[in-house]
Every structure is written in C-alpha cells, then in structure tokens.
Amino acid sequence: MTTPTQSTPTTNPASGKSRTAPGNATDRAVKRRRVLDILDAAGRDSLLLTSNTALTWYLDGSRVHISLAGDPIAALLVDRSGDHLVTFNNEAGRIAAEELPEGVSLDTVPWHGQLNAVAAGLAVDGDPLVEAAVATELRAARQQLLPAESARYAELSADAAAAMTDVLSGATPETTEFQLVSELAARIVAGGAEPLVLLCNGAGRSDFRHPLATHSPIGRRAMAVVCARRNGLVANVTRWVAFDAGTPLELDAEARIAAVEADIFRATVPGAKLNDVFTDIKAAYARHGFGDDQWTLHHQGGPAGYAGRDPRVTAEVTDTIVLNQPFTWNPSGPGVKIEDTVQLTESGLRVLTVDDRWPTTDVDGRRRPLTLRP
C-alpha cells in the first residue's frame, strides 16, 4: 500500500490582474452553494472533485490540465470550511499565479506523489464523497449556466464558427484533410482555446461519421468538425463545404437532416426529460425519411458546457432540461450531418456558434447553416 505524501501549504502570490482564468466571484459563490446543497442532501461534510469537467466548472474556468489526454494535475476538496486545491509541486507556481481563484487554498504534493489521496486526506474524517457517488447531482449543478459563463460560452462559440468560415472559405478541392484541420487548429489555438476534436472527411470518405483526417485531398465536398475548449467550456460545430452545386440527393438529404434537427429543437424545452427528447429524435428520423434505425449509427448529442456532451442522450438519461442550459445536438445521416452549440433561454433556443458570413436558410423560423460553396 502506498502511503500518501504529506502536502505542503502554498499561498497565492498573484494579483487579480495576472490571472488568466476568469474566476467570477459571484458565479463561484453560486457554485459553492450548489455543492453544499449536494452535501446537505447526502448528509456528508466534504466532496472530492477529480475530473476535468468538475474542476473547471467549480473553479470557474481554471486550467487544470497539461496533456489534453491526461488526468488533471489538481484535485479539489470542498468542505464546510472552504475549498482546498491540491496540485503537484512542479505545477504549483503556475496554478498560484494564473489559475487559483480568490478564497481557494493551495497545497502541494511531490510530482511523484498520490494527488487524490492527499486531497482526500484533507477531509476531517479522511473519507470524502467522491464524484461517482453524486454524478447525477453534479451534472444537475452544472446544467444552468450563470451569466458570466454564458457570456464566455457565446464568445467561444462565435470564435469557433468564425474559424470554420475562415478556413473553409479558403479551401479548394486540392486541400488535404490534414491541411484543413491543421488550419482550424491554428485558429482555435490562436484564440486561446484547445482543439479537443478535429475531424474532416473529403468526398471519398463521406460514409464515416467520426472521420479522423488523412492526407487525401477533400475533393468536391467535405465536412469539418471542431470541438474547442476555453475556460473549461466546450463549443462544438460542424460545417460543410462543396465546390459544385450538389446532387439532388445530397440537397434533399441536407434539407431533411435540418428538419430532423428542427424537431429536436422543438422538443428541447424547460421541464422536458432527456429520455423523452431521445424518443422524439428517433421518431424524427423516421418522419423525415431516414428510417427507423438511423439513430443507432451515431450518437445524437445532448447537453453541452464543461464536457463535449454532459451527457450523451440515451433512453436511460432522465435529466430534466432547465433554462440557460446549453446543448449540442448532432443528427446525421448518410453523407449529411448538422451540429451547432445552442443555449436554451427565456426567449427560446439561441444558436451560439454563429458567424454572419456563413450562408444560411430558414428552417422552422430559425437561420440554419447551408453548405458553403466558395
């Protein structure tokens, strides 16, 4: 058995001006109250947060990763006395200077130490609740974005949409899939975000729903997908580009998949259960000529925010939709897909991944993207 390494307290020398994470104090106070409500309901006094999704949400946008594929380099104990972040000694300087919100204590553990065990050991009884025990409750706490979060999300989403317009407007049939996604990645990173997902399929690979890029030229038409993360929030967007007028079958399929999406949007209302929306999704595919089994060939999306999907909707997910909750639905069919990040507001669904330069058409009273034809 490994003995947890004793942590060493570290202070935060940074002024507010040097922080890179947003750390809105008002929003953070609401989030802390939501977590304390979870503790009250469970009859417990502390909760250990260890996932990137939970940490970036609770810390209000702090970056707690190094490798995009690795585990977070911090863990957080929330208890009745306050918030206690633990990180490795080689990460503490940056965390303290740039990512640590006011009012959060910082402890360190050697880079080779047991991060989560040390954080858990800060609990009075050494046995805090773990995320898995209250996964549904934490997801509910993240559902309703607060004002500062909503503003950051809208800005990120617009940046992602603009990157799509910039890159696809300059593409040619000779552009390779790797060239296209590398240009997308450059624009996302230049905007201070992390490209979590980059997909592209040219004309010869349109059957693939999750097409990792290749060195093949895109040819007469292509799909591009970006999932970009900034301050913990993830914006998702899919766009198509074509260099001809499109075949009648393609144009018909594009119109029908937009109609499927419109049905999903109409079902996305406060108080609806996600499993009921999933039932509506399956019916929409059949209603618009895609067949009864189309939903089985790719996931359909779901709530968004601090995870790409939080969670993917299925018949087993019974979460209740609330106002100010973000979503990314992504219905798809053979050779077609439509995907934007939206937020449910008091005036209805607001599309966040918008660039006014992109061609659109009216679908059920909402502007929806067409295929770009440069």
Side-chain angles (χ1 to χ4, degrees):
M1 177 181 295
T2 302
T3 301
T5 307
Q6 179 64 40
S7 59
T8 302
T10 303
T11 59
N12 179 5
S15 69
K17 294 182 180 179
S18 66
R19 274 180 53 80
T20 57
N24 183 278
T26 301
D27 285 3
R28 283 209 64 249
V30 175
K31 294 176 181 182
R32 177 166 168 80
R33 183 66 261 168
R34 291 177 183 176
V35 169
L36 290 178
D37 287 344
I38 292 173
L39 291 177
D40 290 344
R44 301 290 292 275
D45 290 317
S46 60
L47 172 64
L48 181 64
L49 302 179
T50 56
S51 72
N52 190 84
T53 297
L55 287 164
T56 54
W57 166 72
Y58 189 75
L59 295 172
D60 206 41
S62 298
R63 296 175 297 176
V64 291
H65 72 277
I66 297 299
S67 167
L68 292 178
D71 294 331
I73 47 81
L76 184 94
L77 184 80
V78 181
D79 65 15
R80 306 288 179 180
S81 69
D83 301 326
H84 315 281
L85 192 69
V86 179
T87 190
F88 295 112
N89 64 324
N90 59 318
E91 310 291 354
R94 180 186 69 83
I95 292 291
E98 299 177 344
E99 310 293 340
L100 190 68
E102 292 296 324
V104 178
S105 68
L106 183 64
D107 289 68
T108 63
V109 60
W111 62 265
H112 52 83
Q114 301 297 313
L115 182 69
N116 293 348
V118 169
L122 296 178
V124 172
D125 61 1
D127 184 31
L129 269 175
V130 296
E131 281 190 42
V134 286
T136 300
E137 292 85 350
L138 281 171
R139 197 164 66 231
R142 294 190 296 267
Q143 284 181 298
Q144 188 173 61
L145 294 188
L146 297 164
E149 291 176 303
S150 295
R152 293 197 299 270
Y153 207 16
E155 184 177 3
L156 168 63
S157 297
D159 288 349
M164 279 288 200
T165 304
D166 291 341
V167 172
L168 294 183
S169 294
T172 71
E174 291 73 37
T175 301
T176 69
E177 295 169 352
F178 270 131
Q179 286 173 332
L180 193 148
V181 298
S182 66
E183 291 181 19
L184 281 173
R187 281 166 171 77
I188 295 299
V189 173
E194 299 124 20
L196 301 185
V197 176
L198 292 165
L199 303 176
C200 181
N201 61 12
R205 305 174 66 235
S206 61
D207 287 342
F208 301 137
R209 313 272 174 122
H210 273 167
L212 294 175
T214 72
H215 290 291
S216 300
I218 60 176
R220 56 173 289 269
R221 72 190 292 258
M223 177 186 76
V225 178
V226 166
C227 300
R229 184 177 69 191
R230 189 167 66 207
N231 303 133
L233 291 160
V234 183
N236 315 284
V237 58
T238 293
R239 292 290 184 263
W240 289 81
V241 63
F243 304 98
D244 58 20
T247 69
L249 287 177
E250 288 169 351
L251 297 175
D252 175 65
E254 289 173 7
R256 288 187 292 114
I257 204 65
V260 171
E261 182 196 56
D263 288 354
I264 301 172
F265 283 169
R266 281 196 297 273
T268 307
V269 296
K273 299 286 189 181
L274 287 179
N275 57 329
D276 291 333
V277 177
F278 188 61
T279 298
D280 291 335
I281 291 172
K282 293 189 286 185
Y285 278 110
R287 184 182 304 119
H288 296 291
F290 286 100
D292 293 335
D293 67 341
Q294 193 60 229
W295 67 272
T296 68
L297 303 179
H298 188 51
H299 79 84
Q300 302 304 307
Y306 287 89
R309 303 296 187 276
D310 196 16
R312 290 181 180 178
V313 67
T314 68
E316 287 71 44
V317 178
T318 60
D319 299 16
T320 300
I321 293 174
V322 299
L323 277 177
N324 296 320
Q325 186 173 6
F327 296 87
T328 301
W329 302 111
N330 48 261
S332 64
V336 290
K337 179 185 178 186
I338 190 166
E339 176 184 25
D340 273 300
T341 299
V342 303
Q343 187 175 15
L344 181 59
T345 70
E346 289 185 353
S347 57
L349 278 176
R350 175 191 176 196
V351 181
L352 303 182
T353 40
V354 170
D355 183 347
D356 290 339
R357 298 173 295 166
W358 193 272
T360 62
T361 188
D362 183 273
V363 180
D364 198 30
R366 185 178 286 110
R367 304 307 300 179
R368 301 304 299 128
L370 291 166
T371 294
L372 178 68
R373 303 185 190 277

